[in-house]
Amino acid sequence: MSAVEVGEGGQLSSFAREFTVDGFAGEGSALPGREPAGQWAEVDPALSTEGPKRHGKLLRERVPLESHALLVSSAARPEVVAAVEAANAGRLPQLVPLRVGRMAASPFAFLRGSAGLMAHDLATTPVSGVAAQLCGDAHAANFGLYGDARGRLALDLNDFDETVPGPWEWDLKRLVASLVLAGRQLGADEPACRRAAFDAAATYRRTMRRLAKLPALDAWNAWDAIADHQLVEFAGAHELSEVLAAVSAKALRNTGAKFAARSTVRTEDGGWRFTPAPPILSELTDRQARLIADSLASYRHTVPAELHPLLARFRVQDVAFRVVGTGSVGTRSYVVLLTDRRGGPLVLQVKEARPSVLLPHLVRAGFPVPAEGGHEGRRVVLGQKRMQVVSDLLMGWTTVAGLPYQVRQFRNRKGSVDPVALTPDQLDDYGRLTGALLARAHAHTADAALIAGYCGKDDRLDEALAAFAVAYADRSEADHAALLAAIRSGRLAAEPPA
């Protein structure tokens, strides 16, 4: 099977244009397909469920389900070291070796830190033509728990730095490939790794079919359609029950208040300040801290107006620099300690928002991306709200010294399943759970009936994506080996994770 070239030109349908918001064509919109003619996929604007479902079936004639097994080798693919160096551009140079060291830990860790390289590869793969808001980095470690406005735990995707509209297949392919790599790292045999990828794809497809059968409002309010407490049963993830219970118990204790209690000390004037714990938590100069603190004034206007009285009850006590996860290491990220009049803490994270690494590859693939010039923090926040069933009420954005930032609560009862700490028997259950969560997230901005019509009732797509996952895991292992060789040769500096 050979790759089909993407054509140029074409227009979005008038239906898609009419419902475009912030450059994202909403429910029912379509991407360019991978057919020689290069025409945009026109979506039937019929309001019945049967219209989009029938159109989805027709898309299979142009982009067969079996074609998703395809992984093209491209002469234009950048050298691995060059790709890593390009991804490090603009990051704080003193933290780049730490980022490289984290990526060097395993092929799965390498995949986590190379979303841009995978997007380059995905740009040459077939797509159905249906658009959704993408997480952009939907690997197996980016799902987890967090607290809602009432302190209850929600289960969903939880990382949106790369979020952008694009082909729904890109998120799903990143998920299934990561499951194979996680499985290999935890010691599962190849059939078990492939089965986890297959089950993730199958449950994604099955979830879309369920959502497609619901009235639009019920499907939109997916909390009720596929509630968190029903997900284990729905996904058949019973092997994860004890794991999720343990993660939930830990997440309930993982609060900003607990972080503040452990990481701050009282000052002589009765205030509070962070205790440095380098290299993870570091002091700032007074000028740097003031810039971050002052930026919260503009941040306040990006959260709902009804929350302004709440924010007005807090005063800034201190600001510190804090290193973040693998993909974001080297970006500027700060924690801000605020307290109310009784000393109750609120910790906010102010994190640099860089352009999505998917963007240039979406352009290369022919996707009609939004015009440049928007605030990257706003992109992240709106993308997260579009995909999650419920989001942090205090999310917003700001600008510091000309750079865009996202703002959110820090350690808002966050918890996650470490996929490489699972047992082989639990891996496919985790694949099913994450497949259901990803489908639920995509269905907020893509018509579930359209995707369900394309995916079909049988397992042809599941088989194709499992084959892709194995092939891409092999590629990631080779990429990881190239990274290790560059570190040994001295071409790349690396520090072991702290």
Side-chain angles (χ1 to χ4, degrees), residues 343-378:
L346 168 66
V347 182
L348 296 177
Q349 181 183 43
V350 182
K351 181 182 177 184
E352 182 183 358
R354 292 156 58 95
S356 172
V357 296
L358 273 65
L359 192 60
H361 307 294
L362 288 166
V363 172
R364 189 164 58 90
F367 178 64
V369 296
E372 295 183 4
H375 193 286
E376 297 297 341
R378 180 176 183 271

PDB file of all heavy atoms in Angstrom, residues 343-378:
ATOM      1  N   GLY A 343      -5.795  33.482  56.001  1.00  0.00           N
ATOM      2  CA  GLY A 343      -4.579  32.735  55.726  1.00  0.00           C
ATOM      3  C   GLY A 343      -4.791  31.504  54.875  1.00  0.00           C
ATOM      4  O   GLY A 343      -3.848  30.734  54.645  1.00  0.00           O
ATOM      5  N   GLY A 344      -6.018  31.290  54.406  1.00  0.00           N
ATOM      6  CA  GLY A 344      -6.286  30.139  53.555  1.00  0.00           C
ATOM      7  C   GLY A 344      -5.585  30.289  52.218  1.00  0.00           C
ATOM      8  O   GLY A 344      -5.677  31.336  51.570  1.00  0.00           O
ATOM      9  N   PRO A 345      -4.860  29.252  51.764  1.00  0.00           N
ATOM     10  CA  PRO A 345      -4.046  29.398  50.554  1.00  0.00           C
ATOM     11  C   PRO A 345      -4.793  29.072  49.265  1.00  0.00           C
ATOM     12  O   PRO A 345      -5.717  28.255  49.237  1.00  0.00           O
ATOM     13  CB  PRO A 345      -2.923  28.382  50.781  1.00  0.00           C
ATOM     14  CG  PRO A 345      -3.586  27.286  51.566  1.00  0.00           C
ATOM     15  CD  PRO A 345      -4.607  27.965  52.443  1.00  0.00           C
ATOM     16  N   LEU A 346      -4.392  29.719  48.215  1.00  0.00           N
ATOM     17  CA  LEU A 346      -4.749  29.376  46.841  1.00  0.00           C
ATOM     18  C   LEU A 346      -3.448  29.424  46.054  1.00  0.00           C
ATOM     19  O   LEU A 346      -2.732  30.431  46.083  1.00  0.00           O
ATOM     20  CB  LEU A 346      -5.756  30.372  46.258  1.00  0.00           C
ATOM     21  CG  LEU A 346      -5.998  30.292  44.745  1.00  0.00           C
ATOM     22  CD1 LEU A 346      -6.661  28.968  44.373  1.00  0.00           C
ATOM     23  CD2 LEU A 346      -6.851  31.477  44.264  1.00  0.00           C
ATOM     24  N   VAL A 347      -3.115  28.335  45.366  1.00  0.00           N
ATOM     25  CA  VAL A 347      -1.890  28.297  44.569  1.00  0.00           C
ATOM     26  C   VAL A 347      -2.286  28.244  43.098  1.00  0.00           C
ATOM     27  O   VAL A 347      -3.035  27.352  42.672  1.00  0.00           O
ATOM     28  CB  VAL A 347      -1.008  27.085  44.927  1.00  0.00           C
ATOM     29  CG1 VAL A 347       0.285  27.115  44.109  1.00  0.00           C
ATOM     30  CG2 VAL A 347      -0.691  27.077  46.414  1.00  0.00           C
ATOM     31  N   LEU A 348      -1.802  29.196  42.334  1.00  0.00           N
ATOM     32  CA  LEU A 348      -2.040  29.239  40.894  1.00  0.00           C
ATOM     33  C   LEU A 348      -0.746  28.899  40.156  1.00  0.00           C
ATOM     34  O   LEU A 348       0.346  29.239  40.607  1.00  0.00           O
ATOM     35  CB  LEU A 348      -2.515  30.627  40.457  1.00  0.00           C
ATOM     36  CG  LEU A 348      -3.863  31.104  40.997  1.00  0.00           C
ATOM     37  CD1 LEU A 348      -4.139  32.533  40.519  1.00  0.00           C
ATOM     38  CD2 LEU A 348      -4.994  30.182  40.567  1.00  0.00           C
ATOM     39  N   GLN A 349      -0.891  28.233  39.030  1.00  0.00           N
ATOM     40  CA  GLN A 349       0.243  27.996  38.136  1.00  0.00           C
ATOM     41  C   GLN A 349       0.122  28.949  36.955  1.00  0.00           C
ATOM     42  O   GLN A 349      -0.933  29.046  36.327  1.00  0.00           O
ATOM     43  CB  GLN A 349       0.244  26.557  37.629  1.00  0.00           C
ATOM     44  CG  GLN A 349       1.435  26.242  36.713  1.00  0.00           C
ATOM     45  CD  GLN A 349       1.382  24.836  36.151  1.00  0.00           C
ATOM     46  OE1 GLN A 349       0.332  24.364  35.730  1.00  0.00           O
ATOM     47  NE2 GLN A 349       2.513  24.160  36.151  1.00  0.00           N
ATOM     48  N   VAL A 350       1.188  29.660  36.676  1.00  0.00           N
ATOM     49  CA  VAL A 350       1.268  30.559  35.520  1.00  0.00           C
ATOM     50  C   VAL A 350       2.303  29.953  34.586  1.00  0.00           C
ATOM     51  O   VAL A 350       3.507  30.003  34.849  1.00  0.00           O
ATOM     52  CB  VAL A 350       1.665  31.989  35.953  1.00  0.00           C
ATOM     53  CG1 VAL A 350       1.688  32.925  34.758  1.00  0.00           C
ATOM     54  CG2 VAL A 350       0.689  32.507  37.014  1.00  0.00           C
ATOM     55  N   LYS A 351       1.837  29.359  33.510  1.00  0.00           N
ATOM     56  CA  LYS A 351       2.687  28.520  32.659  1.00  0.00           C
ATOM     57  C   LYS A 351       2.747  29.068  31.241  1.00  0.00           C
ATOM     58  O   LYS A 351       1.712  29.358  30.627  1.00  0.00           O
ATOM     59  CB  LYS A 351       2.141  27.095  32.643  1.00  0.00           C
ATOM     60  CG  LYS A 351       2.948  26.112  31.814  1.00  0.00           C
ATOM     61  CD  LYS A 351       2.281  24.742  31.838  1.00  0.00           C
ATOM     62  CE  LYS A 351       3.024  23.742  30.962  1.00  0.00           C
ATOM     63  NZ  LYS A 351       2.326  22.429  30.914  1.00  0.00           N
ATOM     64  N   GLU A 352       3.959  29.197  30.731  1.00  0.00           N
ATOM     65  CA  GLU A 352       4.160  29.694  29.367  1.00  0.00           C
ATOM     66  C   GLU A 352       3.396  28.823  28.367  1.00  0.00           C
ATOM     67  O   GLU A 352       3.404  27.595  28.448  1.00  0.00           O
ATOM     68  CB  GLU A 352       5.637  29.685  29.019  1.00  0.00           C
ATOM     69  CG  GLU A 352       5.960  30.236  27.635  1.00  0.00           C
ATOM     70  CD  GLU A 352       7.438  30.138  27.304  1.00  0.00           C
ATOM     71  OE1 GLU A 352       8.219  29.677  28.155  1.00  0.00           O
ATOM     72  OE2 GLU A 352       7.818  30.522  26.173  1.00  0.00           O
ATOM     73  N   ALA A 353       2.724  29.482  27.445  1.00  0.00           N
ATOM     74  CA  ALA A 353       1.956  28.776  26.411  1.00  0.00           C
ATOM     75  C   ALA A 353       2.630  29.029  25.064  1.00  0.00           C
ATOM     76  O   ALA A 353       2.547  30.130  24.510  1.00  0.00           O
ATOM     77  CB  ALA A 353       0.509  29.253  26.380  1.00  0.00           C
ATOM     78  N   ARG A 354       3.308  28.014  24.552  1.00  0.00           N
ATOM     79  CA  ARG A 354       3.979  28.114  23.266  1.00  0.00           C
ATOM     80  C   ARG A 354       3.011  27.691  22.156  1.00  0.00           C
ATOM     81  O   ARG A 354       2.027  26.996  22.422  1.00  0.00           O
ATOM     82  CB  ARG A 354       5.214  27.217  23.248  1.00  0.00           C
ATOM     83  CG  ARG A 354       6.327  27.694  24.180  1.00  0.00           C
ATOM     84  CD  ARG A 354       7.253  26.583  24.605  1.00  0.00           C
ATOM     85  NE  ARG A 354       7.906  25.904  23.497  1.00  0.00           N
ATOM     86  CZ  ARG A 354       9.114  26.193  23.023  1.00  0.00           C
ATOM     87  NH1 ARG A 354       9.790  27.184  23.553  1.00  0.00           N
ATOM     88  NH2 ARG A 354       9.653  25.499  22.035  1.00  0.00           N
ATOM     89  N   PRO A 355       3.260  28.085  20.918  1.00  0.00           N
ATOM     90  CA  PRO A 355       2.399  27.626  19.817  1.00  0.00           C
ATOM     91  C   PRO A 355       2.348  26.105  19.762  1.00  0.00           C
ATOM     92  O   PRO A 355       3.335  25.421  20.059  1.00  0.00           O
ATOM     93  CB  PRO A 355       3.069  28.218  18.573  1.00  0.00           C
ATOM     94  CG  PRO A 355       3.840  29.395  19.073  1.00  0.00           C
ATOM     95  CD  PRO A 355       4.308  29.011  20.451  1.00  0.00           C
ATOM     96  N   SER A 356       1.206  25.562  19.390  1.00  0.00           N
ATOM     97  CA  SER A 356       1.072  24.113  19.292  1.00  0.00           C
ATOM     98  C   SER A 356       2.074  23.559  18.283  1.00  0.00           C
ATOM     99  O   SER A 356       2.209  24.065  17.167  1.00  0.00           O
ATOM    100  CB  SER A 356      -0.342  23.734  18.856  1.00  0.00           C
ATOM    101  OG  SER A 356      -0.425  22.349  18.576  1.00  0.00           O
ATOM    102  N   VAL A 357       2.763  22.481  18.683  1.00  0.00           N
ATOM    103  CA  VAL A 357       3.737  21.865  17.776  1.00  0.00           C
ATOM    104  C   VAL A 357       3.036  21.191  16.590  1.00  0.00           C
ATOM    105  O   VAL A 357       3.697  20.845  15.606  1.00  0.00           O
ATOM    106  CB  VAL A 357       4.615  20.838  18.510  1.00  0.00           C
ATOM    107  CG1 VAL A 357       5.452  21.518  19.579  1.00  0.00           C
ATOM    108  CG2 VAL A 357       3.775  19.705  19.106  1.00  0.00           C
ATOM    109  N   LEU A 358       1.727  21.012  16.667  1.00  0.00           N
ATOM    110  CA  LEU A 358       1.007  20.387  15.560  1.00  0.00           C
ATOM    111  C   LEU A 358       0.785  21.357  14.404  1.00  0.00           C
ATOM    112  O   LEU A 358       0.581  20.930  13.260  1.00  0.00           O
ATOM    113  CB  LEU A 358      -0.359  19.866  16.024  1.00  0.00           C
ATOM    114  CG  LEU A 358      -0.408  18.455  16.608  1.00  0.00           C
ATOM    115  CD1 LEU A 358       0.385  18.360  17.899  1.00  0.00           C
ATOM    116  CD2 LEU A 358      -1.849  18.008  16.825  1.00  0.00           C
ATOM    117  N   LEU A 359       0.797  22.647  14.693  1.00  0.00           N
ATOM    118  CA  LEU A 359       0.345  23.633  13.725  1.00  0.00           C
ATOM    119  C   LEU A 359       1.057  23.563  12.377  1.00  0.00           C
ATOM    120  O   LEU A 359       0.401  23.496  11.328  1.00  0.00           O
ATOM    121  CB  LEU A 359       0.464  25.040  14.324  1.00  0.00           C
ATOM    122  CG  LEU A 359      -0.237  26.147  13.554  1.00  0.00           C
ATOM    123  CD1 LEU A 359      -1.731  25.889  13.453  1.00  0.00           C
ATOM    124  CD2 LEU A 359       0.013  27.495  14.247  1.00  0.00           C
ATOM    125  N   PRO A 360       2.400  23.569  12.322  1.00  0.00           N
ATOM    126  CA  PRO A 360       3.039  23.539  10.999  1.00  0.00           C
ATOM    127  C   PRO A 360       2.748  22.262  10.225  1.00  0.00           C
ATOM    128  O   PRO A 360       2.707  22.274   8.994  1.00  0.00           O
ATOM    129  CB  PRO A 360       4.536  23.668  11.326  1.00  0.00           C
ATOM    130  CG  PRO A 360       4.664  23.262  12.749  1.00  0.00           C
ATOM    131  CD  PRO A 360       3.381  23.665  13.409  1.00  0.00           C
ATOM    132  N   HIS A 361       2.500  21.168  10.926  1.00  0.00           N
ATOM    133  CA  HIS A 361       2.235  19.897  10.256  1.00  0.00           C
ATOM    134  C   HIS A 361       0.790  19.821   9.766  1.00  0.00           C
ATOM    135  O   HIS A 361       0.502  19.183   8.748  1.00  0.00           O
ATOM    136  CB  HIS A 361       2.581  18.752  11.192  1.00  0.00           C
ATOM    137  CG  HIS A 361       3.967  18.869  11.735  1.00  0.00           C
ATOM    138  ND1 HIS A 361       5.092  18.768  10.940  1.00  0.00           N
ATOM    139  CD2 HIS A 361       4.426  19.148  12.992  1.00  0.00           C
ATOM    140  CE1 HIS A 361       6.172  18.957  11.679  1.00  0.00           C
ATOM    141  NE2 HIS A 361       5.787  19.185  12.919  1.00  0.00           N
ATOM    142  N   LEU A 362      -0.115  20.499  10.457  1.00  0.00           N
ATOM    143  CA  LEU A 362      -1.482  20.626   9.948  1.00  0.00           C
ATOM    144  C   LEU A 362      -1.495  21.445   8.668  1.00  0.00           C
ATOM    145  O   LEU A 362      -2.210  21.133   7.722  1.00  0.00           O
ATOM    146  CB  LEU A 362      -2.375  21.267  11.013  1.00  0.00           C
ATOM    147  CG  LEU A 362      -2.711  20.391  12.214  1.00  0.00           C
ATOM    148  CD1 LEU A 362      -3.298  21.238  13.343  1.00  0.00           C
ATOM    149  CD2 LEU A 362      -3.690  19.284  11.820  1.00  0.00           C
ATOM    150  N   VAL A 363      -0.679  22.499   8.644  1.00  0.00           N
ATOM    151  CA  VAL A 363      -0.553  23.315   7.431  1.00  0.00           C
ATOM    152  C   VAL A 363      -0.009  22.465   6.293  1.00  0.00           C
ATOM    153  O   VAL A 363      -0.513  22.487   5.165  1.00  0.00           O
ATOM    154  CB  VAL A 363       0.359  24.528   7.699  1.00  0.00           C
ATOM    155  CG1 VAL A 363       0.653  25.263   6.389  1.00  0.00           C
ATOM    156  CG2 VAL A 363      -0.281  25.465   8.706  1.00  0.00           C
ATOM    157  N   ARG A 364       1.017  21.677   6.596  1.00  0.00           N
ATOM    158  CA  ARG A 364       1.629  20.821   5.572  1.00  0.00           C
ATOM    159  C   ARG A 364       0.638  19.775   5.058  1.00  0.00           C
ATOM    160  O   ARG A 364       0.676  19.393   3.884  1.00  0.00           O
ATOM    161  CB  ARG A 364       2.868  20.139   6.184  1.00  0.00           C
ATOM    162  CG  ARG A 364       3.744  19.390   5.199  1.00  0.00           C
ATOM    163  CD  ARG A 364       5.108  19.117   5.822  1.00  0.00           C
ATOM    164  NE  ARG A 364       5.005  18.365   7.058  1.00  0.00           N
ATOM    165  CZ  ARG A 364       5.021  17.035   7.122  1.00  0.00           C
ATOM    166  NH1 ARG A 364       5.132  16.317   6.007  1.00  0.00           N
ATOM    167  NH2 ARG A 364       4.947  16.415   8.274  1.00  0.00           N
ATOM    168  N   ALA A 365      -0.259  19.326   5.943  1.00  0.00           N
ATOM    169  CA  ALA A 365      -1.252  18.328   5.551  1.00  0.00           C
ATOM    170  C   ALA A 365      -2.444  18.942   4.827  1.00  0.00           C
ATOM    171  O   ALA A 365      -3.320  18.221   4.362  1.00  0.00           O
ATOM    172  CB  ALA A 365      -1.741  17.576   6.786  1.00  0.00           C
ATOM    173  N   GLY A 366      -2.488  20.273   4.749  1.00  0.00           N
ATOM    174  CA  GLY A 366      -3.563  20.921   4.021  1.00  0.00           C
ATOM    175  C   GLY A 366      -4.763  21.289   4.857  1.00  0.00           C
ATOM    176  O   GLY A 366      -5.815  21.635   4.311  1.00  0.00           O
ATOM    177  N   PHE A 367      -4.638  21.251   6.184  1.00  0.00           N
ATOM    178  CA  PHE A 367      -5.775  21.597   7.033  1.00  0.00           C
ATOM    179  C   PHE A 367      -5.910  23.111   7.128  1.00  0.00           C
ATOM    180  O   PHE A 367      -4.924  23.815   7.332  1.00  0.00           O
ATOM    181  CB  PHE A 367      -5.577  21.006   8.433  1.00  0.00           C
ATOM    182  CG  PHE A 367      -6.679  21.352   9.392  1.00  0.00           C
ATOM    183  CD1 PHE A 367      -7.964  20.904   9.176  1.00  0.00           C
ATOM    184  CD2 PHE A 367      -6.433  22.134  10.505  1.00  0.00           C
ATOM    185  CE1 PHE A 367      -8.985  21.227  10.050  1.00  0.00           C
ATOM    186  CE2 PHE A 367      -7.439  22.466  11.385  1.00  0.00           C
ATOM    187  CZ  PHE A 367      -8.721  22.000  11.154  1.00  0.00           C
ATOM    188  N   PRO A 368      -7.130  23.646   7.006  1.00  0.00           N
ATOM    189  CA  PRO A 368      -7.329  25.101   7.070  1.00  0.00           C
ATOM    190  C   PRO A 368      -7.227  25.609   8.501  1.00  0.00           C
ATOM    191  O   PRO A 368      -8.211  25.749   9.215  1.00  0.00           O
ATOM    192  CB  PRO A 368      -8.743  25.292   6.529  1.00  0.00           C
ATOM    193  CG  PRO A 368      -9.443  24.007   6.841  1.00  0.00           C
ATOM    194  CD  PRO A 368      -8.392  22.924   6.737  1.00  0.00           C
ATOM    195  N   VAL A 369      -6.007  25.867   8.953  1.00  0.00           N
ATOM    196  CA  VAL A 369      -5.771  26.244  10.350  1.00  0.00           C
ATOM    197  C   VAL A 369      -6.182  27.691  10.584  1.00  0.00           C
ATOM    198  O   VAL A 369      -6.258  28.496   9.656  1.00  0.00           O
ATOM    199  CB  VAL A 369      -4.286  26.054  10.712  1.00  0.00           C
ATOM    200  CG1 VAL A 369      -3.902  24.591  10.610  1.00  0.00           C
ATOM    201  CG2 VAL A 369      -3.398  26.911   9.831  1.00  0.00           C
ATOM    202  N   PRO A 370      -6.453  28.048  11.856  1.00  0.00           N
ATOM    203  CA  PRO A 370      -6.803  29.432  12.177  1.00  0.00           C
ATOM    204  C   PRO A 370      -5.674  30.390  11.843  1.00  0.00           C
ATOM    205  O   PRO A 370      -4.503  30.017  11.819  1.00  0.00           O
ATOM    206  CB  PRO A 370      -7.048  29.389  13.696  1.00  0.00           C
ATOM    207  CG  PRO A 370      -7.315  27.950  14.007  1.00  0.00           C
ATOM    208  CD  PRO A 370      -6.516  27.163  13.021  1.00  0.00           C
ATOM    209  N   ALA A 371      -6.040  31.626  11.582  1.00  0.00           N
ATOM    210  CA  ALA A 371      -5.028  32.646  11.304  1.00  0.00           C
ATOM    211  C   ALA A 371      -4.160  32.858  12.527  1.00  0.00           C
ATOM    212  O   ALA A 371      -4.605  32.726  13.668  1.00  0.00           O
ATOM    213  CB  ALA A 371      -5.711  33.953  10.910  1.00  0.00           C
ATOM    214  N   GLU A 372      -2.888  33.161  12.322  1.00  0.00           N
ATOM    215  CA  GLU A 372      -1.966  33.385  13.427  1.00  0.00           C
ATOM    216  C   GLU A 372      -2.274  34.710  14.117  1.00  0.00           C
ATOM    217  O   GLU A 372      -2.967  35.565  13.591  1.00  0.00           O
ATOM    218  CB  GLU A 372      -0.526  33.381  12.914  1.00  0.00           C
ATOM    219  CG  GLU A 372      -0.080  32.029  12.361  1.00  0.00           C
ATOM    220  CD  GLU A 372       1.370  32.042  11.941  1.00  0.00           C
ATOM    221  OE1 GLU A 372       2.028  33.075  12.151  1.00  0.00           O
ATOM    222  OE2 GLU A 372       1.835  31.025  11.404  1.00  0.00           O
ATOM    223  N   GLY A 373      -1.755  34.875  15.290  1.00  0.00           N
ATOM    224  CA  GLY A 373      -1.913  36.139  16.005  1.00  0.00           C
ATOM    225  C   GLY A 373      -2.737  36.038  17.263  1.00  0.00           C
ATOM    226  O   GLY A 373      -2.816  36.989  18.026  1.00  0.00           O
ATOM    227  N   GLY A 374      -3.386  34.875  17.529  1.00  0.00           N
ATOM    228  CA  GLY A 374      -4.160  34.724  18.735  1.00  0.00           C
ATOM    229  C   GLY A 374      -3.279  34.495  19.946  1.00  0.00           C
ATOM    230  O   GLY A 374      -2.099  34.181  19.827  1.00  0.00           O
ATOM    231  N   HIS A 375      -3.853  34.641  21.116  1.00  0.00           N
ATOM    232  CA  HIS A 375      -3.114  34.429  22.359  1.00  0.00           C
ATOM    233  C   HIS A 375      -3.013  32.932  22.617  1.00  0.00           C
ATOM    234  O   HIS A 375      -4.018  32.218  22.662  1.00  0.00           O
ATOM    235  CB  HIS A 375      -3.852  35.120  23.509  1.00  0.00           C
ATOM    236  CG  HIS A 375      -3.051  35.239  24.755  1.00  0.00           C
ATOM    237  ND1 HIS A 375      -2.793  34.168  25.591  1.00  0.00           N
ATOM    238  CD2 HIS A 375      -2.437  36.324  25.332  1.00  0.00           C
ATOM    239  CE1 HIS A 375      -2.069  34.573  26.606  1.00  0.00           C
ATOM    240  NE2 HIS A 375      -1.836  35.875  26.482  1.00  0.00           N
ATOM    241  N   GLU A 376      -1.795  32.426  22.805  1.00  0.00           N
ATOM    242  CA  GLU A 376      -1.597  30.986  22.970  1.00  0.00           C
ATOM    243  C   GLU A 376      -2.206  30.464  24.272  1.00  0.00           C
ATOM    244  O   GLU A 376      -2.688  29.322  24.328  1.00  0.00           O
ATOM    245  CB  GLU A 376      -0.107  30.643  22.905  1.00  0.00           C
ATOM    246  CG  GLU A 376       0.560  30.950  21.574  1.00  0.00           C
ATOM    247  CD  GLU A 376      -0.014  30.139  20.417  1.00  0.00           C
ATOM    248  OE1 GLU A 376      -0.656  29.102  20.665  1.00  0.00           O
ATOM    249  OE2 GLU A 376       0.184  30.552  19.266  1.00  0.00           O
ATOM    250  N   GLY A 377      -2.203  31.279  25.318  1.00  0.00           N
ATOM    251  CA  GLY A 377      -2.845  30.857  26.555  1.00  0.00           C
ATOM    252  C   GLY A 377      -4.350  30.706  26.371  1.00  0.00           C
ATOM    253  O   GLY A 377      -4.959  29.762  26.895  1.00  0.00           O
ATOM    254  N   ARG A 378      -4.928  31.611  25.629  1.00  0.00           N
ATOM    255  CA  ARG A 378      -6.361  31.519  25.333  1.00  0.00           C
ATOM    256  C   ARG A 378      -6.660  30.263  24.529  1.00  0.00           C
ATOM    257  O   ARG A 378      -7.665  29.580  24.759  1.00  0.00           O
ATOM    258  CB  ARG A 378      -6.798  32.766  24.562  1.00  0.00           C
ATOM    259  CG  ARG A 378      -8.280  32.800  24.188  1.00  0.00           C
ATOM    260  CD  ARG A 378      -8.606  34.132  23.526  1.00  0.00           C
ATOM    261  NE  ARG A 378     -10.025  34.249  23.222  1.00  0.00           N
ATOM    262  CZ  ARG A 378     -10.597  33.841  22.098  1.00  0.00           C
ATOM    263  NH1 ARG A 378      -9.838  33.265  21.165  1.00  0.00           N
ATOM    264  NH2 ARG A 378     -11.888  33.987  21.893  1.00  0.00           N
TER     265      ARG A 378
END
